[in-house]
Amino acid sequence: MALFFHSDDVDDLIPFKEAVTIAEEALKDLRSPKGTNAPRKRLHIHRDLGEGPYDTVLNVYAGGSASYGAIGAQVALHRKAIVENVQKRPPFNPDQTELALIYGVDSGSLLGLMAHRPRHVGGSADLRTPATSLAGLDRFARKDARSVGIYGSGHQAASTLLGLTELRKIDRAKVYSPTRAHREAFAEKMSRKAGVAVEPVDQPRMAAKDVEIILCMTNTNVPVIDGSWLEEGQYIISVIGSNIELVKSGNIASPRREIDDETLRRCSFVVALSKDQAIDSQQGDIYWPVQSGVITWDKVVEIADVLAGRAPGRTDDKQIILYKNQGGQGIIDIALAKRCYELARQHGKGYELNIRARENWWVQGGRSQPW
């Protein structure tokens, strides 16, 4: 029987380093017949009610990994609104609802149904995003990288910083947010939680000054970093994906950006979580700069190729490298969900679903007959 369980039952049983390993190993499977993945799909329905305009968005993530013995899909529903240059949740937004269907690769049977998605217990964001953002860290960041500049003061910024401190010895950090209260609260909270002195800065340029790793973890629709600020050897991680559906529906004028063109020009190369995703969703920080000639596809390498040894990572401490984690990929979601399923089974969590297979049928003379 299939197991129905909630990710909250097992959140604290997956160490962050293990989540990063799961993300890396699943991505490596994409370079063999052992892995499959489809670009994330987003379906939008625009509503303009008394409370204000917003979009209801259905996200579908599908993929599978033989290394983890699972294939399936995760669906997530949420709402979002655009306020000036910032993407926000409407004030009447309900909790994000997510379900993962986990099928056995070899058995073909439904193993489990997971409600929600695993969270990073040290932070407040989902586990998959910071784990994917920090995949390949040792291949792209300098070996001696120990300082961080952060753009954004929300859940993703907090969880990624915490995850980074589990993978590297971080000596100091700086944070910029356009809202003073937000950056100061983040600095105070994260200095305590991460055990790293986090300094709030009041100018965006200062967050990129004298640091080796830059985290762009914002909810902006326009670039937050200027390529002229970058210094030799820096590694930039950016997480925002696409909102091309909002452009097509007329809700915003141009595709979402977090990285400017000068940053792309100055990078030795750009790492993409998925070129297919960049093309399919016309992702603003890669697809449109390629279309306009700012960079070419030759400058973009997929992280799976680096993890599988098909392409080099950092080869010089002076290289500036950008990694675009463009949004969830099903192969990682399902690999993590399979691990959650195993832990739920192991610890007696969840409920058995009595899904009885129907009798086999065959058709004879135009009528269905029991076999």
Side-chain angles (χ1 to χ4, degrees), residues 68 89 99 110 112 152 165 183 194 248 271 358:
Y68 292 95
R89 288 191 173 192
L99 291 171
L110 178 64
T165 62
R183 61 180 180 257
K248 292 178 178 178
V271 184
R358 291 185 61 188

Side-chain angles (χ1 to χ4, degrees), residues 8-309:
D8 284 355
D9 295 333
V10 295
D11 280 346
D12 59 347
L13 301 176
I14 305 180
F16 184 77
K17 287 184 179 180
E18 181 182 358
V20 174
T21 298
I22 290 172
E24 291 180 339
E25 293 300 314
L27 287 168
K28 282 198 288 188
D29 272 0
L30 286 176
R31 293 301 174 258
S32 75
K34 295 168 60 178
T36 186
N37 188 72
R40 176 199 60 209
K41 293 295 183 182
R42 280 180 169 168
L43 308 178
H44 285 242
I45 296 180
H46 184 72
R47 303 293 291 151
D48 195 351
L49 304 179
E51 298 90 341
Y54 68 91
D55 277 66
T56 294
V57 186
L58 180 70
N59 297 271
V60 182
Y61 314 83
S65 164
S67 291
Y68 292 95
I71 190 170
Q74 179 162 287
V75 296
L77 186 73
H78 67 273
R79 292 172 175 169
K80 59 186 176 184
I82 305 299
V83 180
E84 295 179 344
N85 287 325
V86 177
Q87 179 173 294
K88 296 183 177 181
R89 288 191 173 192
F92 48 96
N93 192 63
D95 288 340
Q96 186 162 323
T97 304
E98 297 168 305
L99 291 171
L101 290 164
I102 311 160
Y103 291 90
V105 168
D106 297 325
S107 68
S109 60
L110 178 64
L111 301 177
L113 180 64
M114 181 177 71
H116 210 265
R117 67 165 58 139
R119 283 182 284 220
H120 181 204
V121 293
S124 50
D126 63 274
L127 180 61
R128 175 253 285 156
T129 302
T132 305
S133 292
L134 294 173
L137 179 68
D138 288 340
R139 292 168 172 84
F140 304 121
R142 283 170 37 179
K143 302 295 184 187
D144 61 351
R146 303 179 71 168
S147 57
V148 188
I150 307 163
Y151 291 86
S153 57
H155 298 327
Q156 294 298 344
S159 288
T160 307
L161 175 60
L162 283 171
L164 184 58
T165 62
E166 294 190 43
L167 302 178
R168 286 287 181 95
K169 171 62 177 175
I170 301 300
D171 293 334
R172 58 187 175 84
K174 297 186 284 185
V175 61
Y176 173 77
S177 170
T179 303
R180 178 178 178 178
H182 291 175
R183 61 180 180 257
E184 291 183 349
F186 180 92
E188 188 279 327
K189 177 181 177 180
M190 297 310 297
S191 294
R192 177 169 27 88
K193 292 192 70 172
V196 176
V198 182
E199 175 193 358
V201 294
D202 58 9
Q203 296 295 324
R205 182 169 191 161
M206 295 305 298
K209 184 177 177 58
D210 297 327
V211 297
E212 289 96 18
I213 299 173
I214 297 174
L215 305 179
C216 291
M217 307 278 150
T218 72
N219 60 355
T220 184
N221 280 306
V222 295
V224 296
I225 190 167
D226 185 324
S228 66
W229 305 339
L230 298 178
E231 301 166 2
E232 286 186 347
Q234 289 182 322
Y235 176 46
I236 308 108
I237 304 172
S238 169
V239 298
I240 68 160
S242 171
N243 60 357
I244 192 63
E245 295 85 359
L246 295 178
V247 177
K248 292 178 178 178
S249 66
N251 294 305
I252 58 174
S254 59
R256 192 178 189 192
R257 297 288 301 268
E258 189 172 50
I259 302 298
D260 74 334
D261 288 346
E262 184 61 17
T263 295
L264 296 172
R265 292 189 186 99
R266 293 197 62 195
C267 284
S268 299
F269 60 93
V270 175
V271 184
L273 178 59
S274 167
K275 285 186 181 181
D276 286 345
Q277 187 70 67
I279 295 168
D280 186 78
S281 57
Q282 298 181 25
Q283 200 273 331
D285 285 333
I286 297 180
Y287 177 82
W288 289 110
V290 170
Q291 296 301 109
S292 60
V294 174
I295 58 172
T296 67
W297 286 115
D298 290 340
K299 194 172 184 175
V300 182
V301 60
E302 289 191 305
I303 189 172
D305 285 322
V306 179
L307 294 172

